[in-house]
């Protein structure tokens, strides 16, 4: 059973515009949410995270929004750059340093120069 | 700092064989988790090792086993390989601190192909 869901497998966006990636989850016990970025032939790299007690976290061009009542989060990338072209995974974790991540299937983002 | 390293990079096996994958965690990390990423899917949690013991396990059969050594490095063993075991196997390391979340660092993975 997929506890973390990412729809719209691929996204193409013009350089300088906003990229918005969406993620839904089903397990209300998740306490921490993360976005990872993956380039081919590399492991996923941490991008940004948010605790369930917050509704927004911002780090430079990346902002994650959490709507806990809707069990939905989104990642905004503004402005998009060609180097942002990668697969983005949404992931969720339980409490107390559990560290067991549940991943979505990923979104392929292509930024067109 | 070398980060998380995994070996080998690629591996080809036939059905029924056994395979061992290796992982060295990032310097200073004491916890290793293994994930399986099938084509077109997100990584799936296999198990996690801390203090040389399996602490958590995902929904994987007993054919999947592991080990953690005193230097915190880890091995993933898969017996009686099936075609469906073909995947990218990712190792992630972290430092066990009981707070909200301990950031995990991933290695580049081992690509296993079962023929």
């Amino acid at each position: 059973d997929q506890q973390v869901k990412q729809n719209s497998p691929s996204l193409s966006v013009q350089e300088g515009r906003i990229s918005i990636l969406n993620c839904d989850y089903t397990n209300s016990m998740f306490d921490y949410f993360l976005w990872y970025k993956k380039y081919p032939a590399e492991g996923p790299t941490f991008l940004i995270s948010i605790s369930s007690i917050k509704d927004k976290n911002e780090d430079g061009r990346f902002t994650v929004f959490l709507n806990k009542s809707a069990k939905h989060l989104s990642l905004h990338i503004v402005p998009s750059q060609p180097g942002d072209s990668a697969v983005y995974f949404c992931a969720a974790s339980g409490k107390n340093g559990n560290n067991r991540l549940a991943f979505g299937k990923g979104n392929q983002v292509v930024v067109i120069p | 700092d070398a980060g998380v390293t995994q070996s080998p990079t690629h591996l080809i096996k036939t059905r029924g064989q056994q395979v061992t994958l290796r992982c060295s965690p990032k310097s200073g990390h004491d916890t290793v988790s293994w994930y399986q990423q099938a084509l077109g899917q997100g990584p799936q949690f296999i198990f996690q090792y801390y203090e040389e013991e399996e602490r958590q396990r995902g929904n994987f059969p007993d054919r999947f086993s592991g080990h953690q050594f005193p230097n915190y490095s880890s091995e993933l063993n898969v017996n009686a390989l099936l075609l469906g075991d073909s995947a990218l196997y990712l190792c992630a390391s972290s430092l066990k601190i009981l707070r909200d979340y301990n950031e995990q660092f991933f290695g580049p993975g081992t690509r296993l192909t079962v023929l």
Side-chain angles (χ1 to χ4, degrees):
Chain A
D1 182 30
Q2 195 79 13
Q3 297 187 76
V4 178
K5 299 178 182 178
Q6 293 177 255
N7 296 320
S8 307
S10 63
L11 171 71
S12 291
V13 63
Q14 288 286 338
E15 181 179 3
R17 304 296 291 271
I18 185 171
S19 295
I20 299 176
L21 302 176
N22 294 301
C23 177
D24 297 291
Y25 63 96
T26 57
N27 189 341
S28 59
M29 297 302 292
F30 286 143
D31 197 55
Y32 213 79
F33 303 91
L34 309 93
W35 287 92
Y36 278 83
K37 177 180 177 180
K38 188 179 186 301
Y39 293 117
E42 295 183 11
T45 55
F46 171 76
L47 192 58
I48 192 169
S49 64
I50 188 167
S51 167
S52 62
I53 62 174
K54 297 184 177 181
D55 56 18
K56 178 182 175 181
N57 187 28
E58 190 172 355
D59 183 2
R61 298 186 296 115
F62 303 92
T63 303
V64 57
F65 297 92
L66 176 62
N67 183 333
K68 200 173 177 182
S69 62
K71 294 190 177 68
H72 177 85
L73 61 153
S74 62
L75 173 67
H76 291 207
I77 307 173
V78 182
S80 299
Q81 299 175 353
D84 296 331
S85 297
V87 176
Y88 290 78
F89 290 101
C90 174
S93 175
K95 296 185 179 185
N96 300 324
N98 178 288
N99 266 33
R100 172 177 176 167
L101 292 173
F103 282 87
K105 290 186 177 182
N107 293 124
Q108 175 71 60
V109 172
V110 176
V111 180
I112 303 166
Chain B
D1 184 4
V4 180
T5 60
Q6 293 187 244
S7 63
T9 305
H10 295 89
L11 203 53
I12 299 176
K13 292 285 188 179
T14 56
R15 281 178 296 175
Q17 284 189 312
Q18 179 265 345
V19 69
T20 297
L21 311 181
R22 295 176 176 82
C23 171
S24 291
K26 182 178 169 64
S27 177
H29 284 184
D30 57 8
T31 302
V32 173
S33 300
W34 286 92
Y35 293 80
Q36 179 196 67
Q37 186 182 6
L39 196 62
Q41 304 294 317
Q44 298 288 315
F45 177 80
I46 303 174
F47 43 52
Q48 182 182 90
Y49 276 82
Y50 171 67
E51 291 186 333
E52 302 180 46
E53 290 189 16
E54 182 182 298
R55 300 292 178 171
Q56 299 186 69
R57 190 178 183 92
N59 189 25
F60 279 82
D62 292 343
R63 298 187 297 109
F64 289 77
S65 63
H67 188 79
Q68 186 180 34
F69 299 93
N71 67 353
Y72 308 118
S73 67
S74 177
E75 288 182 348
L76 163 65
N77 301 294
V78 187
N79 294 323
L81 284 167
L82 304 174
L83 295 179
D85 295 331
S86 295
L88 179 68
Y89 288 85
L90 294 163
C91 170
S93 74
S94 58
L95 182 61
K96 192 76 168 179
I97 302 173
L98 290 178
R99 61 183 185 197
D100 285 345
Y101 179 74
N102 306 315
E103 184 177 344
Q104 294 188 63
F105 292 79
F106 283 83
T110 293
R111 173 72 62 186
L112 172 65
T113 301
V114 181
L115 301 176

